[in-house]
Amino acid sequence: EAGVAQSPRYKIIEKRQSVAFWCNPISGHATLYWYQQILGQGPKLLIQFQNNGVVDDSQLPKDRFSAERLKGVDSTLKIQPAKLEDSAVYLCASSLAIPGTEAFFGQGTRLTVV
Amino acid sequence: AQTVTQSQPEMSVQEAETVTLSCTYDTSESDYYLFWYKQPPSRQMILVIRQEAYKQQNATENRFSVNFQKAAKSFSLKISDSQLGDAAMYFCAYRVGGGATNKLIFGTGTLLAVQP
């Protein structure tokens, strides 16, 4: 079974530039999460999708971050414009829409904003 | 609001010894799930063990077991016969059961070092 795919693995941009991350979840997984993990901290949930609808985006900085999940499969997370404090690893995870089921994670994208 | 607290930023254990990682959580829900995830330097988060809140029996997966104290809202992870490959960041996580808003909330993590 293929896992959660993320790209790119690494990205370096200058502040005020824009960047986009891509995630392809495991086939059949209705729930998709984007997390931000700053070095030395636990993952912070940015946005959660159920199919192509947003379930929770309470911690997404909506003035600069946006995310979409077209057709309930692939998802993209965009930052525009980036700030220095956005430097982090961005993790994508997916799971079945069944309570208590395991969330599977991708390898993440390490973003460095200079 | 649901929160997950890991009070041990770092732990160290000798190879073949046993170590316990602590986790407490706060919730008003009665139906929820608890998880321990491992994140090695490669960054990919891997599930170690899962506990359903409605089950009194503590979950066990080979060398990994939990001590789930529901009344105390405590969920510790015990690693027996520690191996060098167990060295990683360990995250405790909480997920409410049922409904669409089953978001997965993580603690701040415990970095485990295994000494040969």
Side-chain angles (χ1 to χ4, degrees), chain A residues 30-42:
Chain A
T31 303
L32 186 147
Y33 307 89
W34 281 103
Y35 287 88
Q36 180 192 59
Q37 187 177 20
I38 293 172
L39 186 64
Q41 298 182 17

Side-chain angles (χ1 to χ4, degrees), chain A residues 1-5 24-27:
Chain A
E1 174 182 271
V4 176
N24 180 239
I26 292 173
S27 177

Side-chain angles (χ1 to χ4, degrees), chain A residues 24-88:
Chain A
N24 180 239
I26 292 173
S27 177
H29 282 192
T31 303
L32 186 147
Y33 307 89
W34 281 103
Y35 287 88
Q36 180 192 59
Q37 187 177 20
I38 293 172
L39 186 64
Q41 298 182 17
K44 181 182 89 170
L45 180 66
L46 292 176
I47 189 167
Q48 177 184 344
F49 291 94
Q50 188 92 330
N51 296 308
N52 61 349
V54 175
V55 172
D56 188 307
D57 63 357
S58 56
Q59 297 196 87
L60 186 73
K62 298 180 187 62
D63 58 333
R64 298 183 301 105
F65 286 64
S66 64
E68 60 181 7
R69 190 181 184 195
L70 298 176
K71 300 180 181 179
V73 183
D74 291 9
S75 177
T76 56
L77 176 70
K78 296 179 182 178
I79 308 175
Q80 182 179 13
K83 293 184 175 181
L84 296 177
E85 59 260 36
D86 297 332
S87 295

Side-chain angles (χ1 to χ4, degrees), chain A residues 55 82 89 92:
Chain A
V55 172
V89 175
C92 178

Side-chain angles (χ1 to χ4, degrees), chain A residues 9 33 35 37 42-43 45 48 55-56 95 99-103 105 107-108 110, chain B residues 33 35 37 39 43-45 47 50 91 95 98 100-104 106-108:
Chain A
R9 287 294 307 277
Y33 307 89
Y35 287 88
Q37 187 177 20
L45 180 66
Q48 177 184 344
V55 172
D56 188 307
S95 74
T101 54
E102 175 184 356
F105 284 79
Q107 290 194 292
R110 181 180 296 281
Chain B
Y33 299 81
F35 306 84
Y37 278 88
Q39 188 179 42
R43 291 205 305 264
Q44 188 147 22
M45 203 83 77
L47 179 69
R50 169 178 52 206
F91 292 98
R95 190 175 189 182
T101 57
N102 54 344
K103 61 183 179 181
L104 187 60
F106 286 86
T108 51

Side-chain angles (χ1 to χ4, degrees), chain B residues 15-113:
Chain B
E15 200 174 359
E17 297 295 308
T18 296
V19 65
T20 299
L21 308 183
S22 301
C23 172
T24 58
Y25 59 94
D26 188 24
T27 183
S28 57
E29 302 285 341
S30 58
D31 181 21
Y32 55 88
Y33 299 81
L34 297 164
F35 306 84
W36 278 98
Y37 278 88
K38 171 184 177 181
Q39 188 179 42
S42 67
R43 291 205 305 264
Q44 188 147 22
M45 203 83 77
I46 304 164
L47 179 69
V48 174
I49 198 165
R50 169 178 52 206
Q51 175 77 42
E52 296 89 339
Y54 62 83
K55 287 188 178 179
Q56 292 187 332
Q57 186 173 6
N58 290 322
T60 299
E61 287 287 341
N62 300 313
R63 299 181 295 105
F64 299 89
S65 61
V66 300
N67 183 5
F68 175 47
Q69 301 290 326
K70 191 171 184 179
K73 296 180 181 176
S74 170
F75 181 61
S76 60
L77 174 70
K78 185 171 83 171
I79 306 175
S80 304
D81 186 25
S82 297
Q83 301 176 358
L84 295 177
D86 294 334
M89 197 75 166
Y90 286 81
F91 292 98
C92 178
Y94 161 97
R95 190 175 189 182
V96 67
T101 57
N102 54 344
K103 61 183 179 181
L104 187 60
I105 300 169
F106 286 86
T108 51
T110 297
L111 181 62
L112 178 66

